Amino acid sequence: MEEFDGEPTVTWIPGVNSQKKQMCFDWGPGEMLVCETSFNKKEKSEMVAGCPFIHIIRKDIDVYSKILRKLFNESHGIFVGLQRIEEELTGKSRKAQLVRVSKNYRSVIRACMEEMHQFAVADKDSAIGRQFSSQVSILSAVELIWNLCEILFIEVAPAGPLLLYLLDWVRLHVCEVDSLSADVLGSENPSKHESFWNLPGNTQTLTELELRWQHWHEECERHLQDGTFASNPHLESLCKVLLGDDAALLEHKELLSNWYHFLVTRLLYSQPTVKPMDLHLYAQSSLDLFLGGESSPEPLDNILMAAFEFDIHQVIKECSIALSNWWFVAHLTDLLDHCKLLQSHNLYFGSNMREFLLLEYASGLFAHHSLWQLGVDYCDHCPELGRVSLELHIERIPLTTEQKALKVLRVCEQRQMTEQVRSICKVLAMKAVRNNRLGSALSWSIRAKDAAFATLVSDRFLRDYCERGCFSDLDLIDNLGPAMMLSDRLTFLGKYREFHRLYGEKCFVDAASLLLSLMTSQIAPRSFWMTLLTDALPLLEQKQVIFSAEQTYELLRCLEDLTSGRPLCGEPDAQQLQDDDIETTKVEILRLALARNLARSIIKEGSLEGS
Amino acid sequence: MLSHDAQMDYYGTRLATCSSDRSVKIFDVRNGGQILVADLRGHEGPVWQVAWAHPMYGNILASCSYDRKVIIWKEENGTWEKTHEHTGHDSSVNSVCWAPHDYGLILACGSSDGAISLLTYTGLGQWEVKKINNAHTIGCNAVSWAPAVVPGSLIDQPSGQKPNYIKKFASGGCDNLIKLWKEEEDGQWKEEQKLEAHSDWVRDVAWAPSIGLPTSTIASCSQDGRVFVWTCDDASGNTWSPKLLHKFNDVVWHVSWSITANILAVSGGDNKVTLWKESVDGQWVCISDVNKGQGPVSTSVTEGQQNDQ
């Protein structure tokens, strides 16, 4: 087993503290459950309750922060835009665009910080206020790291301008540095130096610059040696500082807020044309000198050091460990990947680092009731494993409202995730049936192409009709169209409703034919035949003859089939029919009506030639 | 009373618990709340495990108990009721697991009588039973289904046709073995593989969800304190290689995969739940300890049991 680079974090569960008991657990879609238990399966297991609670543990609580939500939403927009950047752009224009993206991300972080800072200040003394404050520091550190990565990895500042970028970086972030120290150590001299550099558009080459600086440096040295400033210790100290004397700089340590401020200052006065590849040497020594063995490096220090060493993987790794949320590493890695800076660092289980981090981040989003939609886009842009990840997550999204269900379905349909569509429609159909919304249930089962369920719902409709004498959801049934073919029962339902419509429109002959065909074609379930025959009564009682003689014979045959008690396809209903008094009366009435109709139809058909 | 198992439903909105007081309780845990929805009585002994069926079949829960019974509960018109009771075992039933929803409504049950039974819902309240006798000598402690994978073609099947799934599941037993079972064309279940590596009773097995790679993964844990992660390269089809995740100092009772299979949780006798992830070079690394004890933590707390009056 590989050793982890730090101790695994321990999460304590309050109240659960026993020598004898263990914890059982289960994964939820976005969280984990634990509760105290005893795994020893004895019959007489302890009846004493240790801790009666079940705890729900979530790793990604940031998802629930209202302010961070803006960060997630806006960075999502930047992410998607980045994925669409034209591949053809190369060289300078591509780099400029990538730098712009990086700056966009940073401005989103800063905006979020601003807002949080306001909340922190407003609520200064409460626990919430303190929480906001600590969030602000975290975001500030995140922006600090991102900015440095932008300078070193994306901007790829060459020797010379590198220091200027670093100066800006320090100035931007070391805002606690008060103006006095800035005067002594920073502002006066850099401005002198800036005019010295006169960049951009500087026509001097790096070598020329170096020479000039060298010359100036030597002059300063000479002044120091000659004791020009001997009378004024303050000026002498200043001169030493200008010469990049470490000891002198460290004397004013309290004015330097941290080691990287120290680093940049040192470089300014001793190595202004520092090359990127030499940066790490100065970085390491600056850290060591500044800390002076009194304290050890913090996680942030390690991250920055890794950046100075141009070890991108180490930066990502340290950030993953230090931060509670995958947001930063996911987006930064993605951007660096677009800069073609990540070697294809294939993880054992097949994913590359970029996808791995993006999907980790997306997983956290799926736990949220509305941010899940952002998660979908992140999965979309992971060509190897994104689709499967999306399939696993999308089915777990609680379908709390019809609107949400439709959104989820649209996502699945757009991506041809037919299995998920079916599964979700089935869940919705089941839910609808249990809430007695038959129309809804039917349309969901049709969408799911679930014949068995469609049959079930159709049966319910028919049962309702028998009980109430009317149909619910007529619109739906009238407009089934080809979906009617999904199941026999559904077809029957549709056709039966059509019969009623024809009857209502007084197309009696058509209605009559349809009614008969429902029985002769075996589409109608046996249990429904009595109802159908009863439906035929008004047609038989009409003034004009509707059923032909042949049709009447058919009807008679159906009635006989039904009442004969013959076992037909295993349905027991025929037997019951005989025992029922009401049924017997109905049958009598039917027989009479059919006989009369037969007589009339024979006469009518026989007389046709005559008239 | 002591909880023996707790399970979230598919969406994380409901929680089912079972305990030594023979009850099965269901809670609504939406929006951080905790509302007792049902207190189900029917078992005559401690209830060891509960399992939620896929929501497309409705709200269905299975429970198994020392009383040798498996009970299937269903919510109908807002109330929970017993919908089926399976009494085909001669000894405590230790584990229940629902098959992937694609196969229909099928429940696998492992028992201390060494047998595994498979209950298939055939409609109209009827359940068909298939029994695998002597699956494990002395007893079967755990069952876990393989994810549904349609062999070969990925083309959408026409609605009337059922795709040809190859149904498989894994079981762990007191014979120190993990066995892989496969359904044959005639509907009978056959032992396909034996995975040997543990030196004591296998307490739990967990088949990882499919993440789109051609490998299959199973985690197993045992009385011998070891947790193994078994992988099979599906191209070859039949060679499973174990990798030792860790050797704990005590019995390891339970292993479970997160839904995207990127984290394995392990519950050990050392009173901790540890979370493991696979690292870049294929080694398994512990990323977190969830420990018992006093201490501040920002979690939401749900009262799992109501104290008896």
Side-chain angles (χ1 to χ4, degrees):
Chain A
M1 186 196 74
E2 182 189 292
E3 285 306 315
F4 192 56
D5 282 350
E7 282 307 301
T9 46
V10 178
T11 306
W12 296 92
I13 308 299
V16 176
N17 188 8
S18 158
Q19 301 304 331
K20 289 183 198 162
K21 303 201 181 71
Q22 297 93 38
M23 284 198 292
C24 66
F25 63 85
D26 181 46
W27 287 103
E31 60 283 296
M32 202 178 170
L33 289 179
V34 290
C35 72
E36 191 185 80
T37 187
S38 171
F39 282 115
N40 258 309
K41 291 195 163 83
K42 303 189 275 259
E43 190 200 355
K44 295 263 158 55
S45 53
E46 293 159 46
M47 303 299 243
V48 179
C51 168
F53 296 113
I54 292 181
H55 298 265
I56 297 177
I57 306 174
R58 277 195 189 93
K59 186 174 186 289
D60 226 338
I61 49 173
D62 291 341
V63 168
Y64 300 94
S65 155
K66 285 204 187 75
I67 302 172
L68 284 179
R69 195 174 309 169
K70 259 194 230 151
L71 177 73
F72 298 142
N73 269 309
E74 288 177 15
S75 59
H76 162 262
I78 302 172
F79 170 81
V80 172
L82 174 60
Q83 309 310 308
R84 298 192 183 137
I85 279 184
E86 294 303 316
E87 280 299 323
E88 295 94 69
L89 281 177
T90 48
K92 267 197 175 150
S93 53
R94 185 181 171 81
K95 183 168 106 163
Q97 201 155 27
L98 292 168
V99 170
R100 201 171 17 246
V101 169
S102 180
K103 290 197 198 293
N104 279 340
Y105 274 125
R106 280 173 44 220
S107 71
V108 166
I109 300 173
R110 273 202 301 274
C112 191
M113 248 166 71
E114 264 297 318
E115 199 180 335
M116 236 180 234
H117 180 70
Q118 304 202 356
F119 276 94
V121 162
D123 243 322
K124 233 185 315 196
D125 298 318
S126 71
I128 295 182
R130 279 192 290 276
Q131 201 174 36
F132 276 126
S133 277
S134 86
Q135 282 272 18
V136 172
S137 335
I138 293 174
L139 282 175
S140 169
V142 162
E143 213 251 306
L144 175 77
I145 300 165
W146 195 305
N147 198 345
L148 183 62
C149 288
E150 183 184 301
I151 295 169
L152 297 176
F153 305 139
I154 304 174
E155 189 80 64
V156 196
L162 175 61
L163 184 61
L164 277 177
Y165 282 111
L166 289 174
L167 273 168
D168 276 335
W169 173 66
V170 161
R171 233 183 268 136
L172 189 60
H173 293 97
V174 184
C175 42
E176 308 93 273
V177 176
D178 63 41
S179 48
L180 182 62
S181 60
D183 288 337
V184 174
L185 290 165
S187 56
E188 276 181 26
N189 300 290
S191 56
K192 225 170 149 187
H193 282 257
E194 266 166 59
S195 55
F196 187 80
W197 293 116
N198 205 17
L199 292 163
N202 192 353
T203 51
Q204 303 173 66
T205 65
L206 197 64
T207 335
E208 285 171 11
L209 279 166
E210 265 202 84
L211 277 172
R212 285 180 65 180
W213 181 83
Q214 203 60 15
H215 186 78
W216 171 87
H217 189 93
E218 277 160 13
E219 205 180 305
C220 275
E221 279 242 41
R222 232 178 302 124
H223 279 296
L224 191 65
Q225 304 275 349
D226 296 344
T228 321
F229 305 114
S231 52
N232 190 332
H234 186 83
L235 275 175
E236 196 173 61
S237 170
L238 191 62
C239 186
K240 282 196 187 152
V241 164
L242 287 175
L243 287 170
D245 184 293
D246 287 341
L249 282 168
L250 282 170
E251 256 170 57
H252 299 280
K253 189 173 163 181
E254 69 281 4
L255 299 165
L256 293 164
S257 38
N258 46 53
W259 65 273
Y260 37 97
H261 188 180
F262 175 48
L263 163 68
V264 175
T265 313
R266 273 175 92 200
L267 289 172
L268 180 64
Y269 298 126
S270 61
Q271 292 292 326
T273 55
V274 62
K275 297 189 188 59
M277 65 186 94
D278 297 330
L279 204 48
H280 72 280
L281 295 163
Y282 297 104
Q284 189 63 57
S285 55
S286 301
L287 177 63
D288 296 335
L289 284 168
F290 194 82
L291 291 180
E294 287 163 10
S295 44
S296 41
E298 309 251 296
L300 177 60
D301 300 327
N302 292 329
I303 295 168
L304 294 172
M305 187 60 68
F308 285 125
E309 288 167 358
F310 284 85
D311 189 345
I312 295 182
H313 287 108
Q314 190 68 14
V315 171
I316 294 171
K317 182 174 171 182
E318 298 270 354
C319 288
S320 304
I321 296 171
L323 294 167
S324 66
N325 181 295
W326 293 102
W327 179 88
F328 174 61
V329 285
H331 288 91
L332 181 64
T333 307
D334 173 61
L335 180 55
L336 293 177
D337 189 52
H338 275 87
C339 300
K340 311 264 191 276
L341 287 172
L342 292 182
Q343 308 140 299
S344 62
H345 196 133
N346 275 318
L347 301 177
Y348 182 65
F349 47 87
S351 170
N352 57 50
M353 171 115 74
R354 172 187 166 271
E355 283 205 14
F356 174 75
L357 292 172
L358 285 173
L359 292 175
E360 286 282 348
Y361 172 63
S363 287
L365 292 174
F366 278 105
H368 191 269
H369 63 85
S370 66
L371 289 177
W372 64 270
Q373 293 168 90
L374 304 183
V376 173
D377 283 325
Y378 286 99
C379 287
D380 280 344
H381 290 108
C382 291
E384 267 189 55
L385 295 179
R387 189 187 170 86
V388 179
S389 188
L390 181 59
E391 283 172 3
L392 288 168
H393 279 116
I394 202 114
E395 279 200 271
R396 301 276 187 155
I397 295 173
L399 306 166
T400 44
T401 62
E402 175 115 348
Q403 205 185 30
K404 191 168 180 188
L406 288 170
K407 266 194 207 167
V408 172
L409 277 172
R410 209 174 316 133
V411 167
C412 294
E413 280 164 353
Q414 283 168 347
R415 290 156 182 77
Q416 282 92 45
M417 292 180 171
T418 44
E419 279 313 309
Q420 280 68 31
V421 169
R422 273 209 202 126
S423 152
I424 291 168
C425 287
K426 282 185 184 177
V427 171
L428 292 167
M430 175 59 80
K431 237 164 121 175
V433 162
R434 279 181 19 239
N435 289 325
N436 247 322
R437 291 180 290 119
L438 295 181
S440 187
L442 189 60
S443 49
W444 286 124
S445 19
I446 290 171
R447 198 160 170 181
K449 300 205 184 74
D450 188 351
F453 213 77
T455 303
L456 198 140
V457 180
S458 304
D459 270 334
R460 285 280 291 267
F461 266 114
L462 293 166
R463 216 182 325 147
D464 271 3
Y465 169 78
C466 287
E467 282 168 21
R468 278 189 273 130
C470 63
F471 285 109
S472 54
D473 301 283
L474 282 176
D475 264 346
L476 176 65
I477 304 172
D478 283 343
N479 294 305
L480 282 174
M484 214 191 284
M485 299 302 148
L486 182 62
S487 102
D488 276 352
R489 197 55 49 86
L490 183 58
T491 314
F492 170 64
L493 179 66
K495 291 279 169 201
Y496 186 53
R497 165 63 199 149
E498 197 182 321
F499 160 73
H500 279 272
R501 241 184 331 128
L502 288 169
Y503 187 92
E505 288 163 13
K506 297 205 186 337
C507 305
F508 295 126
V509 179
D510 291 334
S513 303
L514 180 55
L515 186 65
L516 185 57
S517 71
L518 288 176
M519 283 184 282
T520 54
S521 64
Q522 305 288 334
I523 273 192
R526 243 341 116 124
S527 50
F528 219 76
W529 279 24
M530 205 54 210
T531 313
L532 292 174
L533 288 167
T534 317
D535 281 336
L537 270 174
L539 290 169
L540 294 164
E541 305 290 314
Q542 291 273 338
K543 249 206 182 128
Q544 79 258 50
V545 177
I546 297 169
F547 284 103
S548 71
E550 183 151 344
Q551 287 175 323
T552 316
Y553 279 125
E554 288 284 341
L555 283 170
L556 277 165
R557 197 177 56 77
C558 290
L559 184 57
E560 287 314 307
D561 271 355
L562 206 52
T563 56
S564 67
R566 259 184 306 171
L568 301 151
C569 314
E571 296 207 35
D573 293 30
Q575 197 62 47
Q576 282 175 306
L577 226 49
Q578 293 191 317
D579 305 327
D580 204 336
D581 273 341
I582 300 172
E583 292 305 308
T584 322
T585 319
K586 257 199 219 164
V587 170
E588 302 265 325
I589 296 173
L590 271 169
R591 286 222 175 90
L592 184 58
L594 284 166
R596 281 217 287 259
N597 193 73
L598 187 59
R600 288 162 61 203
S601 62
I602 290 175
I603 293 171
K604 178 184 172 200
E605 281 159 36
S607 321
L608 225 64
E609 324 294 344
S611 343
Chain B
M1 62 240 117
L2 199 63
S3 289
H4 286 293
D5 192 24
Q7 282 231 350
M8 287 286 226
D9 76 347
Y10 208 65
Y11 302 115
T13 51
R14 279 188 167 175
L15 175 62
T17 70
C18 60
S19 76
S20 57
D21 73 347
R22 305 165 185 196
S23 71
V24 173
K25 292 194 174 73
I26 299 176
F27 296 86
D28 187 324
V29 293
R30 276 175 289 194
N31 304 316
Q34 62 245 16
I35 307 165
L36 179 66
V37 168
D39 185 343
L40 307 172
R41 304 276 165 169
H43 281 295
E44 285 147 5
V47 187
W48 302 129
Q49 217 177 66
V50 283
W52 288 95
H54 192 279
M56 73 166 65
Y57 297 109
N59 281 349
I60 297 178
L61 187 70
S63 62
C64 63
S65 157
Y66 182 86
D67 69 357
R68 298 173 281 158
K69 290 195 282 196
V70 171
I71 298 181
I72 299 175
W73 314 86
K74 188 168 172 169
E75 187 186 28
E76 207 67 81
N77 300 321
T79 46
W80 281 88
E81 288 157 359
K82 188 194 295 195
T83 183
H84 184 68
E85 195 174 278
H86 172 59
T87 50
H89 285 286
D90 307 320
S91 196
S92 168
V93 183
N94 302 318
S95 175
V96 279
C97 183
W98 291 100
H101 66 83
D102 318 65
Y103 300 165
L105 199 54
I106 305 178
L107 184 71
C109 322
S111 164
S112 289
D113 66 4
I116 297 171
S117 52
L118 293 133
L119 312 180
T120 307
Y121 187 64
T122 49
L124 300 167
Q126 299 303 310
W127 293 80
E128 181 192 272
V129 181
K130 285 200 188 119
K131 200 167 175 197
I132 304 171
N133 282 306
N134 297 314
H136 292 274
T137 50
I138 308 175
C140 171
N141 294 323
V143 283
S144 172
W145 287 88
V149 167
V150 181
S153 161
L154 293 165
I155 300 167
D156 188 1
Q157 300 280 348
S159 57
Q161 230 177 297
K162 267 199 155 188
N164 269 344
Y165 290 111
I166 297 177
K167 299 184 189 131
K168 288 191 189 181
F169 71 88
S171 65
C174 301
D175 50 8
N176 309 348
L177 296 174
I178 298 145
K179 291 192 179 179
L180 305 183
W181 305 88
K182 181 171 144 181
E183 192 190 43
E184 300 281 277
E185 273 164 34
D186 61 355
Q188 294 309 308
W189 287 87
K190 197 179 97 158
E191 180 190 310
E192 194 191 35
Q193 285 261 296
K194 254 199 263 276
L195 305 180
E196 287 185 68
H198 287 293
S199 54
D200 206 334
W201 293 13
V202 176
R203 281 292 173 190
D204 200 8
V205 286
W207 206 311
S210 163
I211 54 167
L213 294 172
T215 47
S216 297
T217 311
I218 297 177
S220 67
C221 66
S222 156
Q223 199 88 17
D224 67 8
R226 289 193 182 82
V227 176
F228 283 103
V229 176
W230 305 79
T231 46
C232 171
D233 175 5
D234 285 336
S236 73
N238 278 322
T239 332
W240 289 84
S241 340
K243 191 179 284 174
L244 178 70
L245 182 103
H246 190 51
K247 171 144 188 344
F248 292 83
N249 295 324
D250 202 338
V251 181
V252 184
W253 295 98
H254 189 31
V255 284
S256 172
W257 296 95
S258 63
I259 62 160
T260 45
N262 56 352
I263 305 181
L264 178 68
V266 177
S267 183
D270 55 354
N271 301 340
K272 287 197 280 192
V273 175
T274 45
L275 304 177
W276 301 79
K277 257 188 144 122
E278 197 169 14
S279 73
V280 176
D281 45 7
Q283 300 305 311
W284 285 86
V285 181
C286 178
I287 57 168
S288 187
D289 274 333
V290 176
N291 209 327
K292 300 180 337 172
Q294 313 295 353
V297 66
S298 56
T299 59
S300 75
V301 168
T302 299
E303 194 156 89
Q305 314 283 350
Q306 285 188 344
N307 293 320
D308 283 344
Q309 263 70 36

